[in-house]
Amino acid sequence: KPVLCRLRGLGIKDGHFLIGKIAYPAAFQAIVIAAILFVTKNQIAPSVRLSAVLCAIAGIVIVATVCAFLMMLGHRGVPALIVIALSGLLLCGGIVPRQMLPDALLAVGAVTPFGVAQNFLSPMWGGQCSWLSCGMGLVYAVAAAVAAHARLQHVRIGGDEA
């Protein structure tokens, strides 16, 4: 709370504070994805087009925004992030192969944050972006940004510590 109040006193708005919480993890994720593309370029033949890169950047920003909000929940954020990530991984075929999962579970997995990220990264490897996942990604990003702003306001006015 004291840091948030000092930042507000210095004229730093919540949006500027959140940009750093989103930009640095997003940059790290982009570096990791670029390294994966570089290492696997001979085995997978990635499709590095402008549209694929823009889709990947959008997916990275969405994931970083959702993760930033969850981490702002303090001690409750880490378990929530783990549950969301593992459930998305399971429902998208990361634990059990996609061929063994029913179509209904795959449809649910496609709208989880993990499924949305997978959808946004698929054009890099020759896949297509679905409009449903793009819409869900926008919903996740806006909801996480609004919730993060509300969380900062709650902490600043005397709620539990961040």
Side-chain angles (χ1 to χ4, degrees):
K1 176 181 176 179
V3 173
L4 291 175
C5 291
R6 269 188 240 123
L7 289 173
R8 179 54 62 98
L10 293 170
I12 298 173
K13 305 270 189 221
D14 291 343
H16 293 108
F17 175 75
L18 290 173
I19 292 287
K21 299 288 184 191
I22 295 168
Y24 294 121
F28 177 75
Q29 291 171 7
I31 290 169
V32 168
I33 290 171
I36 290 170
L37 286 171
F38 180 74
V39 169
T40 62
K41 68 181 175 187
N42 294 330
Q43 291 90 7
I44 300 176
S47 173
V48 184
R49 300 178 321 271
L50 179 62
S51 61
V53 171
L54 291 176
C55 277
I57 290 171
I60 289 169
V61 169
I62 290 167
V63 168
T65 304
V66 171
C67 290
F69 166 66
L70 289 173
M71 294 310 292
M72 287 174 44
L73 293 176
H75 66 278
R76 297 177 301 238
V78 174
L81 185 60
I82 291 170
V83 167
I84 289 170
L86 286 177
S87 64
L89 189 62
L90 173 69
L91 295 172
C92 290
I95 297 174
V96 177
R98 291 180 64 84
Q99 299 83 357
M100 297 176 70
L101 292 173
D103 289 338
L105 284 181
L106 291 174
V108 170
V111 295
T112 63
F114 188 89
V116 169
Q118 180 185 28
N119 179 63
F120 276 103
L121 291 174
S122 68
M124 282 291 213
W125 286 275
Q128 301 254 338
C129 269
S130 78
W131 287 104
L132 176 63
S133 289
C134 291
M136 285 306 297
L138 182 62
V139 167
Y140 285 135
V142 170
V146 168
H149 175 71
R151 173 73 177 150
L152 290 175
Q153 288 287 77
H154 176 73
V155 170
R156 193 177 298 111
I157 63 171
D160 53 344
E161 296 295 319

